Every structure is written in C-alpha cells, then in structure tokens.
Amino acid sequence: MDLNQAKEAFELLLHSVRPGATRQFIAWLEDRIEDEQLMMEKEWSRQDKILDSIREDIRGKLPLTAMSDTETIHIPQYKNLNPKTTVHVDAFLYDDDFVERLCEEGKMSRNVCTQCGSHDTQPLTLLTHSASITQIKYIFLHVLPSLQGRKFVDIGSRTGAILYGAYLYSACSQIIGVEMDISFCHLQQHIVSSYNFQDRIKIVHDDVLNQLNMIKNCDVLVLNNVFEFFLTSEQQVHVWKQLFTVLRKPGTLLVTVPSIEESLEHLETGIDVMKWLRPVDLSDKLEEARILLKKTDDADELDKIYLYQVAARSQNKKEL
C-alpha cells in the first residue's frame, strides 16, 4: 500500500467511525502516532550517535573548508560563482546550527566586502560537495527500497559520508567508495577501521574510468555533486559517455544530486536520458520524510535528490 492508498483507506475508516466516537478515535490515533515516532527515534538513536561521533572525528582532521590540499576545484562558468566570494562548507560536517555557532565565535563569516575582501557586507556563497545528515537519512530511510544483499557504490566518496550512512541505515552487503584523492581515501580508511566498518565498506583509490566493470555490476550507484566541480567539461563528457555505455543492467538504481538532466544540460554528450533511465517520482517519499523526520525547514535540501532506474529493454518495466 503506497502513501496515497493509505490516505484513502484512512479517510474511509475515519468516515466509518460513528460521530460520537470520532474525537476518541483521533485522540487514540495521536497517541499511537507519538508512540510510533518514539520507537523510530529510539531505533535510530544509536546510529545517529555513531554518525555524530564520526563527524566530530573528521572535523578534527580537516580545515573548515573540508578541502584536501591535493584536490583541484573547477567552478563551472555557467554557475556564475565568484571564487573570491564562494566558501566551501561541508554539509555533512557542518549543519546550519553549527555554521551559526562558528559565525558567533568569529571562526567563520557569512558575508564579505567585495571591495577590500573583509567579511563585512555582502553574503558569501556557501558551497558543499557532501550530502547533509538530513539528506543521508532521507536517502536510506525513505528514497531507497530495502538494500538487503545489494551492492552499493558511491563515486567520489570524499569524506565517506554516504558510505557511513549506507552502513548505519541500510542492510547493503557491499558498500564501495571510489575516490581519486589519496588524502580522502586515507581519511575514509581511518574511519572505517576505527568504527569496525570494514566488514561491509571498501575504499577504492582510483579513477572511476578504471572501475567501470565494478560499476556495471552494482545495484545502487550514487552520484552526489561528483563531476562538475572536479573535472573539466571535456572530462565530464567522457565519463558520462562511459557510464551511459556500462550502466545497462535493468533495475539498477541511480541516486543523483543534482538531476542527471541538469548535469548534462551544459555538456555535449548526445545522451538521451529518457531512453536510458526512468525517473522515479519521489513526491510521496518527500512528504513522508517531512512528517517523520520533522525537517520541513530542510525541504529544499531533499528536493535536490533524484532517483532513477535503468530502464528495462522491454516495455514491462519493474516498479520499485
């Protein structure tokens, strides 16, 4: 039963309750919902605490920008971002409350003077290359189906945020992070070893183009802000064409930020996305997350996440 069917069933049930008992029924329902929410919060509280501990560990090993000394950033011209007024703030490590606290302590600023470079007048653009805690929980607790026994790959895993989420909030049997930057690979491996995640997480230090056979056989692939800030346009075109060639197993799931259509909009790839992938409607999942995660203020973050399924060659496409 999906969300719309559940709503219809509830409406029918509500209308079938005799008028004198409606108020009592609603009161019981509110208590039942509260109990369910408490049970869910308790179920995930241990995982949440582990993830918070990981974040704290990583914050102690990276600068505030969470950038590696060995990586190069390419800011696309079409983004209209000024490098002098763009600050990298990792959303996994620093949520809005944490950033606000850093600003109050004078360790970070949200503003810059465009004339002299001091942080005084105009808003800075805060740029992240990682998923936030809210996005990670949304992906694994709402967007994706059961991952029991499935192979999960994150391209450009950086600090490993998505990998730790997959370990803590899903039953994936294999969780693989592919990362080109050796500094981030060492960091991820340190976390994996420290928290005993090595039974399911594997870090691969390599170019994604050398791992196409592994990607070809995965069940879930994550592409989170993965190419446009780290590769030239020519390199992006080449990588997308290779992914288009090897990702042909029907039913393979792709989780992307931003949408693939947006990623390809400024590139000459010749890829017909609609013949390759089937977009999955996440509107019900988004509404569910807003209710259960109580994160209505973060709705814009969740709207950035897209899900696709590699289309079956026949017209009988299997639903999630």
Side-chain angles (χ1 to χ4, degrees):
M1 180 183 294
D2 61 25
L3 182 58
N4 287 330
Q5 291 172 328
K7 287 179 179 179
E8 292 175 3
F10 176 75
E11 290 289 346
L12 289 173
L13 177 61
L14 189 60
H15 289 305
S16 67
V17 178
R18 60 183 177 81
T22 301
R23 183 174 296 179
Q24 291 174 300
F25 173 70
I26 292 176
W28 172 86
L29 186 62
E30 289 174 344
D31 290 341
R32 188 71 179 86
I33 291 173
E34 184 176 351
D35 289 343
E36 285 293 326
Q37 289 178 332
L38 289 173
M39 289 177 63
M40 290 181 63
E41 289 171 4
K42 183 177 180 180
E43 180 181 356
W44 298 119
S45 63
R46 178 177 174 276
Q47 286 86 340
D48 292 347
K49 290 177 181 177
I50 293 173
L51 204 55
D52 282 341
S53 177
I54 291 172
R55 295 166 72 202
E56 184 175 353
D57 286 351
I58 296 175
R59 283 196 291 262
K61 298 180 183 302
L62 291 176
L64 283 177
T65 60
M67 301 292 291
S68 163
D69 293 335
T70 52
E71 68 178 340
T72 302
I73 298 295
H74 301 271
I75 297 182
Q77 291 185 351
Y78 60 83
K79 291 289 187 181
N80 295 319
L81 296 176
N82 183 345
K84 294 182 179 180
T85 59
T86 300
V87 176
H88 299 269
V89 180
D90 191 281
F92 173 62
L93 302 179
Y94 305 102
D95 57 25
D96 285 342
D97 291 339
F98 204 104
V99 169
E100 196 62 40
R101 189 157 67 248
L102 290 174
C103 290
E104 291 173 357
E105 295 172 356
K107 297 177 180 179
M108 184 180 290
S109 175
R110 291 184 181 272
N111 301 284
V112 66
C113 173
T114 57
Q115 299 299 317
C116 66
S118 64
H119 292 186
D120 291 325
T121 57
Q122 294 187 6
L124 286 164
T125 300
L126 304 184
L127 183 66
T128 180
H129 303 295
S130 295
S132 68
I133 292 292
T134 300
Q135 289 176 318
I136 290 170
K137 295 183 73 172
Y138 174 58
I139 288 170
F140 292 106
L141 301 183
H142 300 275
V143 170
L144 292 172
S146 171
L147 300 181
Q148 180 74 43
R150 297 198 185 188
K151 183 176 182 179
F152 180 97
V153 177
D154 180 21
I155 297 179
S157 48
R158 290 181 66 78
T159 62
I162 295 288
L163 306 180
Y164 314 139
Y167 190 97
L168 294 169
Y169 300 112
S170 83
C172 287
S173 59
Q174 297 181 68
I175 304 167
I176 302 171
V178 181
E179 175 56 53
M180 288 182 62
D181 190 283
I182 188 63
S183 299
F184 281 125
C185 287
H186 288 326
L187 175 63
Q188 291 176 80
Q189 196 58 60
H190 167 73
I191 297 297
V192 168
S193 299
S194 298
Y195 289 84
N196 295 317
F197 289 167
Q198 59 267 30
D199 60 322
R200 290 194 288 143
I201 294 182
K202 178 182 178 182
I203 310 301
V204 177
H205 174 225
D206 205 352
D207 187 318
V208 64
L209 294 175
N210 298 326
Q211 298 294 326
L212 294 176
N213 190 57
M214 176 184 68
I215 292 170
K216 177 181 180 180
N217 295 302
C218 74
D219 298 300
V220 181
L221 182 68
V222 174
L223 302 167
N224 181 59
N225 290 318
V226 64
F227 299 134
E228 63 178 351
F229 287 97
F230 303 97
L231 301 177
T232 65
S233 296
E234 292 75 15
Q235 291 171 326
Q236 291 180 62
V237 169
H238 183 55
V239 173
W240 278 112
K241 285 184 176 179
Q242 292 300 308
L243 292 178
F244 174 70
T245 299
V246 301
L247 279 171
R248 292 292 173 173
K249 185 175 72 173
T252 300
L253 298 174
L254 279 73
V255 180
T256 75
V257 177
S259 69
I260 290 183
E261 291 85 350
E262 182 177 338
S263 294
L264 300 183
E265 183 180 1
H266 301 277
L267 302 173
E268 298 289 338
T269 63
I271 295 174
D272 187 336
V273 176
M274 299 309 296
K275 289 184 179 180
W276 175 32
L277 304 170
R278 181 174 64 83
V280 178
D281 183 7
L282 295 179
S283 55
D284 285 352
K285 307 289 187 181
L286 183 58
E287 184 175 351
E288 177 184 271
R290 284 171 173 165
I291 296 170
L292 297 180
L293 294 179
K294 299 180 181 179
K295 290 288 184 178
T296 53
D297 292 340
D298 293 337
D300 289 343
E301 285 188 19
L302 304 186
D303 283 336
K304 296 175 183 176
I305 295 171
Y306 292 81
L307 180 65
Y308 301 86
Q309 191 172 53
V310 174
R313 295 183 181 178
S314 68
Q315 295 301 312
N316 298 320
K317 299 173 183 176
K318 186 178 179 181
E319 295 291 335
L320 286 178

